[in-house]
Amino acid sequence: MMLSRVAERIYWSARYLQRVESSARIVNTYTSLLMDLSKEVDISWFNLVMLNNAEEEYVSRYKVRDERNVVKFTLADDTNPSSMLMSLAQVRENFRTTRDVVPEDAWEMINELSSFAQESIKNGALNRAKREEFLSQVINQCQMIQGYIASAMPHDAVWDIWVIGRSLERADMTTRLLEAGAGILLGDDIANQVQAPPIIWGNVLRSSSAHHAFRRAVSPRVTGNEVPKFLLFNDQFPRSVTYCLIEIKAAVKKLPKQRKVLESFKGLDQLIMVTPLFNHVDDQLDAQFLAYINKLQLQLAKLHQSFSETWFSLAGR
Amino acid sequence: MGINWKQYSPDVFYDELINQSGNPRLPAKKLASYLQSLDHDEVQRRQHLADAAIQDMGISFTVYTEEGNIDRSWPFDIIPRTISAKQWRTTEKGLIQRLEALNLFIDDLYHDQKIIKDGVIPRHILEQSTNFRKECIGISPPENVWAHICGTDLVRDSDGEFYVLEDNLRVPSGVSYMLENRSIMKRVLPELFENDRILPVNDYCDNLFDTLCSLVPDKESPEIVVLTPGIYNSAYFEHAFLAQQMGAELVEGSDLTVAKNGYVYMKTISGLSKVDVIYRRIDDMFLDPNVFHKDSVLGVPGLMKAWQSGKVALANAPGAGVADDKVVYAYVPQIIKYYLDQDPILPNVETFLCHDDKQREYVLKNIDKLVVKPANESGGYGMLVGPHSTKKDQATFVELIKKNPRNYIAQPTLSLSTAPTLVGNDQPEPRHLDLRPFVLQGKKSYVTTGGLTRVAMKKGSLVVNSSQGGGSKDTWIVDTEVKS
């Protein structure tokens, strides 16, 4: 038994909590990437904004596209609906309105995380010297909440909806990280830099906590197209797009009115199983790759659409 | 240096913990000596621990006037308020007696109105009651109980006796704070619970659940929901808390629908699912836009009809608020006598009814000494505390009373009891408080062990409502008869 309205809010709680973690990860990756790449390479911090399709929001608030502004916009700006702090506020708001189904302590934990993030940012945690430590703590706390929920929430419909929201957001974030990596590599400055690709893909892996898994599953050396391949198609690594989709599908199969939802997987299955990229090791990560990622993102959005129509639509009517 | 009780002076008031000669009362003995053994920093540390716990738990009370700040934490004082178990047992009996009588009274008003025909209560009181619902006439809810959940406000006067100040029979709130206060205390001062025999409070939700189940006698496990007006309501925290504790769904009006067959359903991910009992935490007037406020979006169209035809149970029943009227309050001793043929165990506070010419004359003459309350407001709004008011306020109330005497009552300004409270200084200071126990009546009756103690945090203030800057304390019923 699960109210449509509750289902919708749980779904968004899961998505937003994952988004908080993802925002922290992606800013961490960028920060460390900048330290690794040679000074001549000019990576634009503005890429981060484009990655989240938030150019308009950004331009209406800031003139200068520098690190300080982008980091502030991405993490702390409370007028940017997709900033980390706003995502946190959304988790809190959604937990608050579903407190009868969310395990008690999760509410306390999200309150703690909210006040910790706000306090730290007020005290300068976004400055480079403190940023990494702060963001790592945010990531840890997010995972703590995820872990707590996984072990304290009954694995019933509420949990299935939670998994669906979390995994969809994860898959989406993985595609964005890949888009970020490929985007940098396609830049003009980078073209002649031989050492750049392994640095970039190494950081993309680390941002997904995937470097260790990659080394064990693929190769100790981070080479060429192997990273996107791993993060897209590996069916054992929890943050790969394929794995996330397996999880979503399994959860959908446990929920009512699943037939229609399962049908909307067709497009994704086509992209993932039928037309895998990189049949050759030296396939280029070019515009075609970016177009592929784009298609994936569109299909993920379609999936969301079908969840919404199937399970949430009774709410509010 | 820690708390020194010798420096604490309750003045002329009855203090819950410390008697006139500066010694702790029996139920507070171990508590007082333990607190005294803690040094100043330690006491501070515990208070901060409690404040942090409240932040983390998100205990909050919406204050409407603070725009944009929808969950201000509610101040909590770590020094508990103690009552002896012996005194509490009598109080409990009095509360049950009172609610039973009030339920008989409500049921009578919606049926034969014998009490009016017999001349115990004047008819005009009923005719001018804003909470009498003609839609309820002739309806017989299960067990003939209308008010299943009641929050009764008790105060202790300088004589040390409990008096009933008010019966809240509509949608009384605060029980979740009572429960949370205890769990904060256990975190903050765990050692106290080893020394004293403090009776537990945590069986409330089980009893609430049983009471709600008893509204559908023929069903083994009825589907129960808690109906909330939503997140912007001041008691939303409590609605969520109670739903969670009972494993019931927390629903908003838009989650429910009345189907063609007249039954109530909730909208779920698998479709519509039938609801048997609604613990509603929204006011009568917002329950059903077809019957009451037409523009209410909080309620469910058709809900009244479903209730009238017995297809869903509502707790509290619509119309129960007719007894939640400060004019009716004045008659409760007679009501108890009339229906139960018993003397009231708990006394009322002396009450002057402004519709009575003689009593009104007295009130208008002595308005600077009395507390004047409108008959149908709750939350401490729209009242006048004579001794703390300006001439201008008094003149306004004189006009109000003259214009609508039925709507006002007056009571002497009570010397509310006090308890030591930490208000920022090293030493605790006396602050006035009241007590709201919660009483349940379904097939059986139940009273919370103690209740919610609300404290007026401002020096000398008598207004304890959370919406007006009050705070709260844990309430201990201490069994002093057990030798440990």
Side-chain angles (χ1 to χ4, degrees), chain A residues 5 99-100 102 107 317, chain B residues 57 244 250 255 267 269:
Chain A
R5 175 180 55 81
R99 284 201 17 213
D100 49 327
V102 173
W107 167 245
R317 240 187 237 166
Chain B
M57 287 164 135
Q244 192 176 41
L250 178 66
D255 293 324
K267 303 165 182 175
I269 54 169

Side-chain angles (χ1 to χ4, degrees), chain B residues 221-263:
Chain B
S221 46
E223 186 74 62
I224 295 171
V225 300
V226 178
L227 175 59
T228 173
I231 186 166
Y232 295 102
N233 183 271
S234 60
Y236 180 80
F237 164 81
E238 175 157 307
H239 307 158
F241 179 91
L242 293 175
Q244 192 176 41
Q245 295 295 314
M246 291 192 294
E249 296 298 327
L250 178 66
V251 303
E252 295 171 16
S254 62
D255 293 324
L256 298 179
T257 179
V258 179
K260 280 211 178 79
N261 63 12
Y263 287 94

Side-chain angles (χ1 to χ4, degrees), chain A residues 240-256:
Chain A
S240 83
V241 173
T242 299
Y243 187 90
C244 289
L245 290 174
I246 293 172
E247 273 199 313
I248 297 175
K249 232 186 230 180
V252 168
K253 284 183 181 159
K254 287 191 263 171
L255 286 167

Side-chain angles (χ1 to χ4, degrees), chain B residues 7-285:
Chain B
Q7 288 181 17
Y8 178 81
S9 156
D11 205 355
V12 297
F13 303 106
Y14 180 94
D15 192 88
E16 300 282 336
L17 267 61
I18 307 295
N19 68 17
Q20 287 297 326
S21 40
N23 295 316
R25 295 183 192 280
L26 186 58
K29 223 171 189 147
K30 287 175 184 165
L31 168 67
S33 70
Y34 186 78
L35 289 175
Q36 193 153 15
S37 76
L38 299 176
D39 65 22
H40 173 69
D41 288 351
E42 190 58 22
V43 173
Q44 292 293 315
R45 196 182 70 80
R46 306 289 178 112
Q47 181 66 53
H48 289 154
L49 211 61
D51 295 343
I54 289 173
Q55 282 279 306
D56 292 347
M57 287 164 135
I59 299 184
S60 53
F61 216 97
T62 312
V63 178
Y64 290 105
T65 49
E66 276 179 62
E67 217 175 306
N69 189 6
I70 58 167
D71 50 11
R72 190 188 69 168
S73 300
W74 201 24
F76 172 77
D77 183 69
I78 59 167
I79 305 180
R81 177 255 194 103
T82 52
I83 299 167
S84 82
K86 193 169 162 225
Q87 181 178 27
W88 189 249
R89 278 192 284 273
T90 317
T91 311
E92 250 175 18
K93 284 195 195 109
L95 290 165
I96 290 176
Q97 176 197 53
R98 198 171 168 99
L99 185 58
E100 277 176 5
L102 285 171
N103 270 312
L104 290 167
F105 171 67
I106 301 168
D107 200 53
D108 186 19
L109 287 188
Y110 289 119
H111 290 91
D112 303 335
Q113 308 192 338
K114 288 193 202 110
I115 196 165
I116 293 174
K117 287 173 190 154
D118 288 344
V120 178
I121 295 215
R123 174 164 294 279
H124 66 88
I125 286 181
L126 183 62
E127 280 163 355
Q128 290 164 27
S129 163
T130 51
N131 288 316
F132 182 80
R133 307 261 172 269
K134 59 183 191 322
E135 295 82 2
C136 300
I137 294 172
I139 307 289
S140 297
E143 312 283 340
N144 299 322
V145 174
W146 293 70
H148 312 90
I149 301 118
C150 170
T152 309
D153 290 347
L154 300 179
V155 291
R156 225 202 271 257
D157 200 5
S158 43
D159 59 5
E161 288 302 314
F162 278 121
Y163 290 81
V164 176
L165 188 63
E166 204 170 297
D167 305 285
N168 295 284
L169 300 172
R170 284 172 280 180
V171 283
S173 64
V175 74
S176 59
Y177 297 98
M178 172 191 93
L179 296 167
E180 291 287 2
N181 283 354
R182 176 59 56 86
S183 84
I184 295 169
M185 274 311 278
K186 285 184 183 164
R187 279 197 214 185
V188 171
L189 282 160
E191 42 301 39
L192 289 173
F193 291 83
E194 289 165 23
N195 301 335
D196 263 317
R197 212 179 119 69
I198 304 154
L199 302 185
V201 295
N202 50 13
D203 59 350
Y204 176 77
C205 291
D206 292 344
N207 281 284
L208 175 61
F209 182 76
D210 288 345
T211 303
L212 294 173
C213 282
S214 75
L215 302 189
V216 192
D218 54 338
K219 213 162 177 183
E220 181 106 358
S221 46
E223 186 74 62
I224 295 171
V225 300
V226 178
L227 175 59
T228 173
I231 186 166
Y232 295 102
N233 183 271
S234 60
Y236 180 80
F237 164 81
E238 175 157 307
H239 307 158
F241 179 91
L242 293 175
Q244 192 176 41
Q245 295 295 314
M246 291 192 294
E249 296 298 327
L250 178 66
V251 303
E252 295 171 16
S254 62
D255 293 324
L256 298 179
T257 179
V258 179
K260 280 211 178 79
N261 63 12
Y263 287 94
V264 180
Y265 293 85
M266 54 184 158
K267 303 165 182 175
T268 79
I269 54 169
S270 9
L272 297 177
S273 170
K274 191 169 157 261
V275 171
D276 302 305
V277 183
I278 301 175
Y279 176 21
R280 51 98 173 200
R281 294 294 298 256
I282 66 181
D283 218 58
D284 279 2
M285 296 314 283

Side-chain angles (χ1 to χ4, degrees), chain B residues 390-460:
Chain B
T390 61
K391 284 271 172 255
K392 203 177 151 211
D393 294 339
Q394 292 168 17
T396 313
F397 268 79
V398 166
E399 280 315 302
L400 285 170
I401 292 169
K402 282 182 179 163
K403 214 185 272 169
N404 188 359
R406 159 68 178 80
N407 198 37
Y408 289 91
I409 59 131
Q411 293 168 336
T413 310
L414 296 172
S415 310
L416 288 197
S417 63
T418 59
T421 305
L422 294 168
V423 283
N425 307 328
D426 286 3
Q427 295 299 324
E429 291 179 20
R431 287 291 181 269
H432 294 293
L433 36 74
D434 77 350
L435 178 65
R436 176 177 288 186
F438 294 85
V439 192
L440 301 175
Q441 188 183 345
K443 216 179 160 77
K444 286 183 292 190
S445 291
Y446 165 88
V447 181
T448 49
T449 312
L452 175 66
T453 292
R454 298 183 297 176
V455 197
M457 302 299 277
K458 255 195 279 171
K459 190 169 186 171

